[in-house]
Amino acid sequence: MSQASAPKPLSARRAGPLKGHVRVPGDKSISHRALIFGLLTRGATEIEGLLEGEDVLATGRACSLLGAKVERTGTGKWTVHGAGVGSLLQPKGVLDFGNAGTGSRLMMGVVAGHGVSATFDGDASLRKRPMKRVLDPLLQMGAEVASEAEGGRLPLTLTGTADPIPVTYETPVASAQVKSAILLAALNSPGTTTVIEKEATRDHTEKMLAHFGADIKVQPHGAHGRQIVLTGRPELQPNKVVVPADPSSAAFPLVAGLIVPGSEVVIEGVMDNPLRTGLVTTLLEMGARIEAKNRRTEGGENVADLVVHASNLRSVDVPAERAPSMIDEYPVLAVAASFAEGTTRMRGLHELRVKESDRLAAVHAGLVANGVNAVIEGDDLLVTGGPVRGGGTVATHLDHRIAMSFLVMGLASESPVTVDDGAMIATSFPDFVPLMAGLGADIS
Ligand code: S3P
């Protein structure tokens, strides 16, 4: 298991308005995938704007163990010399993914579709997360698993097959990680694999498959879903990947700019993929003053500069169908709702219970610790806004987004907010504290 670093408490307190231009790091989902596609492509894949956070670096190390040469050539610039589909090496060590659910689950798909055997492990948070949802389809495709922990949890050893069976699989939970694991296993399958999802989830794997030359077809399915059909055994062609700024990281300066009076913040080049924009949609419904300027395309994704002005927010009812497009943004939305007039209801948050922490419980506890009126009703979270007292200490449970969300709260609450451990912020947003300080925030 990864060694936990010493806890690093951090506090955020009110200061002047936030002002300035920032660019947040590269998208975490695309960064993991860029390295993995580099591994699966024979030749050199160049990546620009890679998120150099601990989660992504763990995926890079796993790619090396499976036979890729992974080189850093400059800030955010990496080249992966890949082994190619069907040509992975038997890893000589444990694949330790630290805190990274995405890296571990996607790589389970890769290993399942190759004739290699690998042991997967991670930190105390990752060891608690459910893996059965990914293993079920991979076992149908011919992989075998030996798990030491109950419920298929890490650490586990997965033995793949050199001839994965093509399947048609309807994902029982809305999960881009499950979908992606199946598609990655299917890349080495001698046939056509179909994945059906009732609710469309982020489509970065599908886009990257097309970008590297695979034969993939995506069609609508039902009211909100998609059907994805992939033909196995393509010869993937090396292609440059430019990683746009992560909307899930942009969420923190965005909400901070809305709740700190007098603020005006510009966040540059934020990915504007409709499967990731649920937070902005919701904040606009709450009366947020956010303008999207300079809409353009970067690395095959739409991006825009977000101009954010401090706003008087009002409560909103967030429908459950919106959850996949903002699944990682509920903690910081709950913070925004704490400052909004009225009671915000966020519906259908069951998936939050299986993230880096039980985020529903962690958010609720953090709100209550800071004097916010919050209630969990079934899978819904209700937050009644108003002036926020603050003054509480929040348990982050090894969860980077809980830490950053409550530090954002402390920038606008009456008394400072403390998080018990800010060390995990390095998994997704290593420069969060200096970037926020550059806007005038007081976090230390
Ligand atoms: C991700 C998918 C989501 C999200 C995670 C990143 C991805 O997880 O929460 O942070 O890159 O595919 P689920 O697939 O579990 O919903």
Side-chain angles (χ1 to χ4, degrees), residues 102-184:
T102 305
S104 58
R105 289 179 172 144
L106 269 54
M107 203 61 97
M108 284 181 198
V110 172
V111 167
H114 285 81
V116 297
S117 192
T119 299
F120 290 76
D121 205 354
D123 68 6
S125 155
L126 192 56
R127 279 185 167 200
K128 283 192 201 145
R129 298 184 68 184
M131 296 298 165
K132 192 173 175 306
R133 52 177 61 196
V134 185
L135 295 173
D136 281 348
L138 299 180
L139 297 189
Q140 281 187 25
M141 297 174 86
E144 288 176 19
V145 67
S147 174
E148 290 169 24
E150 176 265 325
R153 289 183 164 71
L154 300 190
L156 63 80
T157 300
L158 186 65
T159 303
T161 167
D163 288 303
I165 302 160
V167 291
T168 295
Y169 195 85
E170 181 165 332
T171 53
V173 278
S175 166
Q177 294 177 355
V178 174
K179 167 178 67 177
S180 301
I182 301 167
L183 293 172
L184 289 166

Side-chain angles (χ1 to χ4, degrees), residues 5 44 151 162 193 210 253 258 298 374:
S5 48
T193 290
L258 293 173
E298 273 181 19

Side-chain angles (χ1 to χ4, degrees), residues 390-409:
T393 296
V394 176
T396 50
H397 303 284
L398 295 176
D399 190 328
H400 54 132
R401 298 199 204 281
I402 297 297
M404 289 185 277
S405 298
F406 281 97
L407 290 171
V408 167
M409 172 182 266

Side-chain angles (χ1 to χ4, degrees), residues 72-436:
R72 186 176 192 265
T73 56
T75 307
K77 292 195 173 163
W78 292 69
T79 304
V80 184
H81 299 270
V85 173
S87 305
L88 300 193
L89 293 185
Q90 171 61 43
K92 292 217 171 69
V94 172
L95 308 186
D96 185 341
F97 284 92
N99 196 248
T102 305
S104 58
R105 289 179 172 144
L106 269 54
M107 203 61 97
M108 284 181 198
V110 172
V111 167
H114 285 81
V116 297
S117 192
T119 299
F120 290 76
D121 205 354
D123 68 6
S125 155
L126 192 56
R127 279 185 167 200
K128 283 192 201 145
R129 298 184 68 184
M131 296 298 165
K132 192 173 175 306
R133 52 177 61 196
V134 185
L135 295 173
D136 281 348
L138 299 180
L139 297 189
Q140 281 187 25
M141 297 174 86
E144 288 176 19
V145 67
S147 174
E148 290 169 24
E150 176 265 325
R153 289 183 164 71
L154 300 190
L156 63 80
T157 300
L158 186 65
T159 303
T161 167
D163 288 303
I165 302 160
V167 291
T168 295
Y169 195 85
E170 181 165 332
T171 53
V173 278
S175 166
Q177 294 177 355
V178 174
K179 167 178 67 177
S180 301
I182 301 167
L183 293 172
L184 289 166
L187 264 178
N188 196 27
S189 178
T192 298
T193 290
T194 302
V195 184
I196 298 167
E197 48 180 6
K198 283 196 275 299
E199 303 282 338
T201 61
R202 64 190 69 194
D203 57 0
H204 308 306
T205 302
E206 296 91 304
K207 283 189 162 178
M208 220 174 272
L209 281 164
H211 186 63
F212 281 79
D215 178 359
I216 177 162
K217 295 189 179 62
V218 181
Q219 287 172 355
H221 176 86
H224 307 288
R226 288 188 172 177
Q227 173 179 290
I228 302 127
V229 181
L230 175 68
T231 305
R233 305 219 164 138
E235 186 66 42
L236 296 181
Q237 299 303 318
N239 210 339
K240 187 169 179 174
V241 180
V242 180
V243 185
D246 193 331
S248 299
S249 297
F252 302 108
L254 170 61
V255 169
L258 293 173
I259 63 174
V260 177
S263 297
E264 191 178 324
V265 172
V266 181
I267 313 167
E268 290 167 5
V270 181
M271 180 166 50
D272 193 21
N273 178 320
L275 294 166
R276 300 286 299 278
T277 50
L279 176 70
V280 172
T281 305
T282 304
L283 291 170
L284 289 172
E285 288 175 3
M286 295 173 81
R289 292 194 293 147
I290 306 169
E291 293 162 78
K293 291 202 166 153
N294 300 325
R295 289 185 185 278
R296 57 201 186 273
T297 309
E298 273 181 19
E301 290 282 359
N302 294 334
V303 302
D305 300 335
L306 300 182
V307 184
V308 185
H309 302 268
S311 305
N312 293 322
L313 301 176
R314 49 181 186 272
S315 60
V316 72
D317 191 319
V318 190
E321 312 83 79
R322 200 175 288 164
S325 69
M326 55 178 299
I327 194 67
D328 293 333
E329 282 69 79
Y330 284 102
V332 79
L333 174 64
V335 168
S338 305
F339 292 88
E341 197 190 323
T343 301
T344 292
R345 181 184 277 266
M346 297 163 231
R347 295 179 186 269
L349 304 189
H350 47 92
E351 274 297 300
L352 291 199
R353 297 187 195 274
V354 291
K355 294 296 176 188
E356 284 83 331
S357 66
D358 175 344
R359 280 191 181 153
L360 192 50
V363 168
H364 177 257
L367 295 173
V368 170
N370 285 290
V372 178
N373 179 353
V375 184
I376 298 173
E377 274 182 20
D379 288 337
D380 298 356
L381 176 64
L382 282 80
V383 179
T384 303
V388 174
R389 187 197 70 207
T393 296
V394 176
T396 50
H397 303 284
L398 295 176
D399 190 328
H400 54 132
R401 298 199 204 281
I402 297 297
M404 289 185 277
S405 298
F406 281 97
L407 290 171
V408 167
M409 172 182 266
L411 301 176
S413 53
E414 284 157 15
S415 302
V417 172
T418 299
V419 300
D420 65 349
D421 186 10
M424 300 315 288
I425 293 172
T427 61
S428 68
F429 199 160
D431 288 335
F432 171 75
V433 172
L435 179 138
M436 294 301 293

